[in-house]
Amino acid sequence: MTSEQPSSIPEPPNSTPEQPDTRGAVPADGQPAPADRAVPAEGQAQAQAQGQGQGQPQRPAEPAYREVTIRRAPKFVPFMLLGAFLGFLAALVVAYTGPEDPTLTRESILGFFTVAFALPGLLLAALLVLVVDRRSVKRAERARAERTYDDDAA
């Protein structure tokens, strides 16, 4: 008497042993398979009415448009690095142009003023980039984008 035990790995719901589930698989040529392309329901009905089979690529009857927002947004990290660098330059000027102190070295004074000037420089640059970003949001433009399929691309 033999008993079959269920396997410990469950099979995906849409697969059989003869046909494994290949959803999400990328073909070797990098192009999506015709079945992977989204076709609206009315586009599918028109394609079947025109006699196109499953073997041919299906295209939507009308191009799909999407509303997009176009704006020029600043990058935060370069602004903040520039602010910290300008604070360091200010610390260099203060440390090496001020009067000499016999108890402290120029390098220790530079370290103190670097912390004292670079952090506020970084914070001011972050505030500036937020203002510029807010301004870019107000100047954003709306546009319509159309999805295209380039079957000839390599």
Side-chain angles (χ1 to χ4, degrees), residues 39-54 56 58-59 61:
V39 177
E42 64 272 0
Q44 214 170 25
Q46 289 176 358
Q48 288 176 355
Q50 293 174 359
Q52 292 181 349
Q54 287 284 54
Q56 297 178 354
Q58 298 175 355
R59 300 230 175 169

Side-chain angles (χ1 to χ4, degrees), residues 124-143:
L124 286 174
L127 183 64
L128 178 67
V129 77
L130 287 175
V131 169
V132 171
D133 186 52
R134 177 68 57 161
R135 205 167 166 203
S136 75
V137 168
K138 289 181 181 178
R139 291 185 178 191
E141 297 177 3
R142 303 283 298 170

Side-chain angles (χ1 to χ4, degrees), residues 27-32 149-154:
D29 63 357
Q31 297 294 322
Y149 296 105
D150 190 8
D151 292 334
D152 297 331

Side-chain angles (χ1 to χ4, degrees), residues 64-71 139-147:
Y65 290 103
R66 173 182 270 177
E67 291 288 326
V68 295
T69 303
I70 301 171
R71 70 183 182 106
R139 291 185 178 191
E141 297 177 3
R142 303 283 298 170
R144 289 177 64 173
E146 176 185 345
R147 183 174 187 169

Side-chain angles (χ1 to χ4, degrees), residues 47-136:
Q48 288 176 355
Q50 293 174 359
Q52 292 181 349
Q54 287 284 54
Q56 297 178 354
Q58 298 175 355
R59 300 230 175 169
E62 292 183 18
Y65 290 103
R66 173 182 270 177
E67 291 288 326
V68 295
T69 303
I70 301 171
R71 70 183 182 106
R72 293 182 54 158
K75 294 188 179 195
F76 282 65
V77 174
F79 265 84
M80 293 172 30
L81 288 176
L82 181 66
F85 182 70
L86 291 176
F88 174 72
L89 289 179
L92 271 173
V93 169
V94 169
Y96 286 102
T97 59
E100 195 168 332
D101 186 4
T103 60
L104 297 171
T105 64
R106 295 273 185 189
E107 290 78 22
S108 63
I109 295 172
L110 175 64
F112 174 76
F113 281 115
T114 296
V115 172
F117 291 159
L119 287 177
L122 183 122
L123 293 175
L124 286 174
L127 183 64
L128 178 67
V129 77
L130 287 175
V131 169
V132 171
D133 186 52
R134 177 68 57 161
R135 205 167 166 203
S136 75

